[in-house]
């Protein structure tokens, strides 16, 4: 996904295996602003994108033969201000976590989103970072949200799906309204610091058993964090150096060895 021509920034999909010069099988989305992130649901039925204008879109991949492929957007959120750098599914596809330039991490219930996009509300907000948040993801167990940003911090915030299903946070709800109601899903004090980089944290990647966290940043390093003893006992396992600039992404390839 990315900018192409005019104000159209479509998502393009190719079927494997690819031949040299193959044209995309599907093209859809047509966001008005460049996309900054893309994630695919574990059932390969939906694609999640975030953009520079603060919008997040959940688009079905399935479509009629010969159509643009999906085409219709099942979920759109615009409660972030400015750019949304990261949007990701939980391992069971029931939740979405987004992170933005406004310094807020937001959690959404995808079931509610697909039922009625016009009435979607946030289930949780995390406002523990100082400055923009560039990356956020769920642990594979779904019990924590891990986030990192310009403040160099990697934070873990407990997430309770049962409580979140009953909670909603309106994007237009003001601080005054929350004080009057006496309730808020804004998470601040519960966030736990796992570690930090020497510059902004740009990406986070967890292995499937919650044992290791990989982070990369503007300090030109990838850092490997050992979570095998639990989030509270996280420790830096090793620092990988060699890049001459920012490390914006990393892919962990499963193997036979631990």
């Amino acid at each position: 996904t990315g900018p192409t021509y005019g104000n159209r920034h479509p998502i393009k999909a190719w079927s494997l295996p690819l031949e040299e010069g193959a044209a995309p099988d599907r093209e859809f989305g047509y966001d008005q602003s460049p996309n900054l992130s893309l994630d695919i649901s574990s059932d390969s039925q939906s694609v999640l994108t975030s953009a520079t204008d603060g919008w997040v879109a959940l688009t079905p991949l399935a479509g009629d033969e010969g159509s643009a492929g999906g085409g219709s957007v099942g979920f759109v959120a615009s409660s972030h201000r400015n750019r949304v750098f990261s949007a990701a599914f939980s391992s069971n596809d029931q939740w979405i976590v987004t992170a933005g330039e406004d310094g807020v991490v937001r959690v959404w219930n995808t079931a509610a989103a697909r039922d009625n996009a016009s009435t979607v509300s946030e289930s949780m907000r995390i406002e523990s970072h100082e400055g923009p948040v560039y990356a956020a993801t769920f642990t594979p167990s779904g019990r924590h949200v891990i986030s990192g940003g310009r403040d160099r911090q990697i934070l873990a915030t407990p997430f309770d799906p049962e409580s979140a299903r009953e909670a909603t946070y309106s994007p237009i709800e003001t601080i005054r309204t929350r004080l009057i109601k006496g309730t808020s899903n804004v998470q601040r004090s519960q966030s736990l610091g796992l570690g930090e980089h020497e510059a902004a944290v740009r990406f986070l990647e967890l292995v499937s058993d919650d044992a290791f966290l990989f982070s990369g940043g503007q300090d030109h390093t990838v850092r490997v964090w050992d979570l095998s003893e639990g989030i509270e006992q996280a420790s830096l396992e090793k620092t990988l150096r060699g890049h001459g600039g920012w490390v914006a992404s990393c892919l962990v390839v499963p193997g036979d060895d631990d």
Side-chain angles (χ1 to χ4, degrees), residues 112-133:
R114 287 164 177 157
D115 288 342
N116 191 338
S118 64
T119 60
V120 170
S121 295
E122 301 162 19
S123 293
M124 190 173 80
R125 291 182 65 182
I126 302 169
E127 297 181 347
S128 299
H129 285 277
E130 299 294 333
V133 186

Side-chain angles (χ1 to χ4, degrees), residues 31 42 51 104 118 122 126 142 152 176 188 195 210 213:
D31 293 322
S42 62
V104 181
S118 64
E122 301 162 19
I126 302 169
R152 306 180 300 168
R176 180 175 179 273
R188 189 183 297 273
D210 283 3
L213 168 69

